[in-house]
């Protein structure tokens, strides 16, 4: 039986990469999916692909930094599908990189707002909708960067991703008694537009692959399978975790 039958899910950052792969997997597993990001055309293509495979999805484009938009996503989920059970808060960006002493306050603030404040805003409106249905599952995309690895030049990104783990734990403790599970997923290097921008050259890619015990980076589809685990009842006793799905980049020393 499909893992998410009769479930309603929201996926942010669904226009590409990990979010796109996860939205497709959620729909294939029976969920009705609300997909969001800023690039409307990409979302419409995704909705069409899901529909062509027999799934159900609707798109609403906007910016995850916008509180009114966070609220309107929940209204759309309720209007279109009747509620909300699962929220994959995945939108994120590396933001302004470089020596921390040169990072602008605007660059710092934008990265924190895109990656961390957005998650707070999401949860603020997702949780009441889930409580109305007796519980649910929230998942945040954090990273091994800022948790098991310190890397130069990405201070705001690392701080935002570490902050997501604190948010995960606080929400898990606060809403566990009411049937809501909250977990963070921590991907290793994953072959998406964001990673390509950081990796750059073929030599850069070989270097990054070599950092992982498995000597490769992940596909977005591999990460999506772990998100499905956290979204589904297969993880019914899992909450408050920071789950590494990182090909061993955190433990590898060769
Ligand atoms: P990606 O393909 O660049 O996806 C990023 C997604 O976030 C896009 O759909 C983008 O959509 C959306 N987004 C960014 N800023 C937004 C904003 N202000 N409002 C709404 N949507 C926004 O890269 P990805 O690798 O799949 O990234 C997904 C998540 O994984 C991110 O949180 C990233 O930090 C995390 N992560 C990635 C890796 C990796 O190696 N790839 C490793 C660890 C963690 P629009 O541009 O259309 O708005």
């Amino acid at each position: 039986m499909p893992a998410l039958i009769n479930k309603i899910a929201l996926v942010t950052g669904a226009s590409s990469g990990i979010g796109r792969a996860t939205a497709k997997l959620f729909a294939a597993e029976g969920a009705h999916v609300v997909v969001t990001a800023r690039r409307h055309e990409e979302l419409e293509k995704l909705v069409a692909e899901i529909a062509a495979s027999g799934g159900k999805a609707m798109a609403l484009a906007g910016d995850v930094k916008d509180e009114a938009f966070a609220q309107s996503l929940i209204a759309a989920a309720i209007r279109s599908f009747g509620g909300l059970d699962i929220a994959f808060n995945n939108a994120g960006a590396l933001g302004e990189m470089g020596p921390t002493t040169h990072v602008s306050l605007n660059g710092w603030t934008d990265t924190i707002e895109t990656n961390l404040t957005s998650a707070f805003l999401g949860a603020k409106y997702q949780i009441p909708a889930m409580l109305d249905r007796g519980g649910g599952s929230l998942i945040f995309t954090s990273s091994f960067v800022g948790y098991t690895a310190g890397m130069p030049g990405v201070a705001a990104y690392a701080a935002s991703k570490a902050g997501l783990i604190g948010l995960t734990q606080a929400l898990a403790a606060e809403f566990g008694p009411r049937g809501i599970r909250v977990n963070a997923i921590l991907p290793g290097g994953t072959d998406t537009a964001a990673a390509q921008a950081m990796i750059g050259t073929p030599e850069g890619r070989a270097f990054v692959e070599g950092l992982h015990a498995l000597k490769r980076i992940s596909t977005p589809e591999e990460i999506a399978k772990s998100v499905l685990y956290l979204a589904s009842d297969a993880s019914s006793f899992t909450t408050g975790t920071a789950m590494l799905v990182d090909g061993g980049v955190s433990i590898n020393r060769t």
Side-chain angles (χ1 to χ4, degrees), residues 89-185:
N89 292 288
N90 162 75
L94 281 162
E96 187 180 326
M97 292 187 284
T100 307
T101 47
H102 289 59
V103 170
S104 68
L105 177 57
N106 276 348
W108 169 273
T109 306
D110 188 64
T111 307
I112 299 291
E113 287 185 354
T114 301
N115 296 349
L116 180 58
T117 309
S118 63
F120 153 69
L121 291 176
K124 180 175 173 180
Y125 295 101
Q126 292 154 9
I127 287 171
M130 289 181 187
L131 290 174
D132 284 347
R133 285 172 65 91
S137 172
L138 275 95
I139 303 132
F140 299 107
T141 307
S142 177
S143 176
F144 69 99
V145 175
Y147 185 63
T148 58
M151 289 173 102
V154 289
Y157 181 78
S160 68
K161 293 299 184 183
L164 283 173
I165 296 171
L167 178 67
T168 296
Q169 293 174 354
L171 292 175
E174 194 172 337
F175 294 100
R178 297 165 77 186
I180 293 189
R181 298 186 299 108
V182 189
N183 293 287
I185 190 158

Side-chain angles (χ1 to χ4, degrees), residues 13-18 37-39 62-65 90-92 114 141-143 157 161 187-190 192-195:
S15 58
S16 58
I18 293 168
R38 290 164 301 183
R39 285 172 291 165
D63 194 314
V64 286
K65 290 178 285 188
N90 162 75
T114 301
T141 307
S142 177
S143 176
Y157 181 78
K161 293 299 184 183
T190 307
T192 67

